[in-house]
Amino acid sequence: MNIIVCIKQVPDTTEVKINPETGTLIREGVPSIINPFDTYAIEEGLRLKEKFGGKVTVISMGPPQAMEALKEAVAMGADEAILLSDKAFAGSDTWATAYTLSQAIKKLGEFDLILCGKQAIDGDTGQVGPGIARQLGISQLTYVFKIRHLDPESRTIVVERLLEEGREVVETKLPALLTVVKDINQPRYPTFLGIRRATRMQIPVWGAADLPGADSSKFGLKGSPTQVVRVFNPPKREGKVEIIQADSVDEAASILADKLLAEKVI
Amino acid sequence: MPLLEINKEECTGCGACVSVCPFGALSLVDNIATVDDKCTACGACLDVCPVNALSLPERPEAAAEDLKAYQGVWVWVEQFQGEACSISWEMVGKGRELANQRGTILTACVLGHNVGHIAKQAIAYGADRVFWVDDPTLAVYRTQPYANVLVELVRQYKPEIFILGASSRGRDLAGSVATELYTGLTADCTGLDIDPETNLLRQTRPAFGGNIMATIICPNYRPQMATVRHRVFEMPVPDENRQGQIIPIKPNLSEDQIATKVVDFIRQQGEVNLADAKIIVSGGRGVGGPEGFEPLRELAEVLGGAVGASRAAVDAGWIPYAHQVGQTGRTVRPDLYIACGISGAVQHLAGMGTAKIIVAINKDPEAPIFSVANYGIVGDLFQIVPALTEQFKKKLRR
Ligand SMILES: Cc1cc2nc3c(=O)[nH]c(=O)nc-3n(C[C@H](O)[C@H](O)[C@H](O)COP(=O)(O)OP(=O)(O)OC[C@H]3O[C@@H](n4cnc5c(N)ncnc54)[C@H](O)[C@@H]3O)c2cc1C
């Protein structure tokens, strides 16, 4: 099994605090981490490798410091890593990101499975996975929370996808791209040996010149159809909480029930 | 490496840009703005600079006549097991408004098998024209045939705007279609409007787990595509007398060319899906264990609502992940959200902070959930929730 995992380094938005006075984000000291959903993708890749043999290659597009994320993935057990980093890639929206990643994947050669996270916790779009699948012309299975069955011989995979109404069981042919949700597994921690290996590993950095087959007008800002024109703080919720106090629980419950009925939300 | 150019001569070191950068990529060094590699070229800083010292490289512009060839507003009507999903009618309602503003027509794309009734409904809800694509291969949603049909239609009829509900299927589909068409796609919008000067679609969406909002445009590529969250736009009132044109389309699909097969569907037993739910009763660490969700379920049942959970309760294994509300779970927008024993961490608030009415029931009066709630009761949820259930049973005669 030749498995590729796409990972993004993101600011740990769970560490982001809001300044109560200005309502702006406090970003000081917010660490960069591997996008949490991508750690599930790495773990799933490692488990498949342990079961079927083969190798796991992690790939990330980002600034030079995204190297840390790749090293962490190697420390978890990934075999190889590639960093895509070039000024030409800067300012990519999801279209250009998917294009660039798929060009690099083409260069890597044959593969059986690509794993992505359901979405990145900063951009939050969940569009890069479907974008890569389409660029490569392979099946996409999004929101996967369980791989039920994988047969490298017949090259079929059966997964459960988490949808609004329940779980959908789908089968497709390899190669395929999966985006995974949180429930799929519990990611392992890096091991001591893994960390040693990661520290020593020379991770190749590819720039635009390393993707000669690509159309460079489709990279980065100039290849990106979307433009952010304004960034602002979300509107704050109006008003203050009304704390309901009463002599008994039943009375408090009755008051609350009346208020909610009056709000016409029931 | 960052693309942002800073004119050091002009910069006054006021720091306005530093405080708006969502990525913390800007700082003042020797009283001059300096940018590092965290810059994503998002452009948030450009407008706040009082002396216009910041700039990004120019992008190639499309020829105006190429863009003019694209006209009309389109909506994808999602169906599940032969019934239209309510999010799609919300899209039709908004699409109607956008079409009126642009002085153009609204087209609904109905894909499925034996879905003629949905095509008719689409007219009733506000479409002028329906592309009715009926085929056995489209009975159940699958990315490839659905995307291929829509890509073909867009190439042939060239809409200016194309919106889809940001359901799991909608996001799956839109990502594939926009990639093939090489156009922009804005995810998970909570606002859409037309810029009166440029006539461009302004697409507003939360990012960073709801911590910031961004307005995005797609000036040089068509169609302008967006997915929109559940329950953001009003459900229109259908008018059975509305007239429109239904155009049946025979797709060029054959089952043996579709790699993906849907084998089974396991419906959540007896539960309303969170995304569509008008009322959600949600539990956190305070419910104490799997059986602690029982009183919440009873309340949800009386109210006809769904049961949600915080990450803490899901991670503890008390309730399946499908119920998780928040940044790593689902984003919901109910009319009423009753948070029981939930402290209200930022990541949870990101998933439910836009609910119309929030009720917090918590022992800890300092819990952050109270700061976003409309109503609160400080106390033991195991007493309050059953009492509330009883009161509603009485008052609603259920
Ligand atoms: C405020 C804001 C709003 C934005 N809104 C939009 C928008 O609506 N539409 C749009 O097209 N762009 C948007 N962008 C740009 C977008 O964030 C970037 O294009 C980004 O490179 C990828 O999108 P994402 O973070 O949403 O990733 P997602 O698509 O959510 O990521 C899904 C998965 O793809 C893989 N992946 C994503 N990025 C990388 C990477 N760099 N390297 C390796 N693997 C990766 C990971 O497996 C990840 O889990 C926005 C940016 C900002 C700052």
Side-chain angles (χ1 to χ4, degrees), chain A residues 53-67:
Chain A
K55 70 172 182 189
V56 173
T57 306
V58 279
I59 148 169
S60 186
M61 184 180 98
Q65 65 258 29
M67 189 67 93

Side-chain angles (χ1 to χ4, degrees), chain B residues 158-281:
Chain B
K158 300 187 188 314
E160 184 185 22
I161 292 172
F162 192 3
I163 56 180
L164 303 86
S167 59
S168 304
R169 281 179 284 267
R171 291 174 78 173
D172 183 277
L173 176 61
S176 190
V177 171
T179 304
E180 185 66 33
L181 293 170
Y182 195 175
T183 192
L185 173 61
T186 305
D188 245 2
C189 296
T190 55
L192 293 178
D193 60 14
I194 305 278
D195 183 326
E197 272 162 41
T198 60
N199 284 328
L200 290 173
L201 183 67
R202 278 193 304 224
Q203 309 158 68
T204 298
R205 63 176 300 251
F208 264 76
N211 285 311
I212 59 170
M213 304 292 293
T215 301
I216 291 170
I217 55 170
C218 174
N220 294 307
Y221 297 75
R222 291 292 177 276
Q224 305 166 79
M225 287 183 65
T227 61
V228 180
R229 283 197 178 164
H230 286 88
R231 298 176 48 77
V232 168
F233 297 127
E234 293 287 318
M235 182 85 176
V237 180
D239 170 4
E240 303 302 331
N241 296 321
R242 270 196 95 249
Q243 296 294 310
Q245 190 189 10
I246 296 180
I247 303 175
I249 291 189
K250 199 74 209 126
N252 187 11
L253 297 168
S254 88
E255 187 57 45
D256 48 288
Q257 280 169 19
I258 304 168
T260 305
K261 315 283 168 205
V262 174
V263 186
D264 195 6
F265 198 90
I266 307 156
R267 248 188 199 268
Q268 256 143 266
Q269 283 302 316
E271 273 151 14
V272 187
N273 89 55
L274 282 176
D276 278 338
K278 290 199 174 74
I279 298 177
I280 296 174
V281 183

Side-chain angles (χ1 to χ4, degrees), chain B residues 337-374:
Chain B
Y337 190 88
I338 306 183
C340 311
I342 291 178
S343 65
V346 181
Q347 303 77 259
H348 190 75
L349 302 183
M352 43 62 78
T354 52
K356 250 185 226 151
I357 298 288
I358 297 172
V359 172
I361 299 172
N362 204 303
K363 272 199 296 219
D364 173 11
E366 302 296 319
I369 189 79
F370 286 112
S371 69
V372 298
N374 303 77

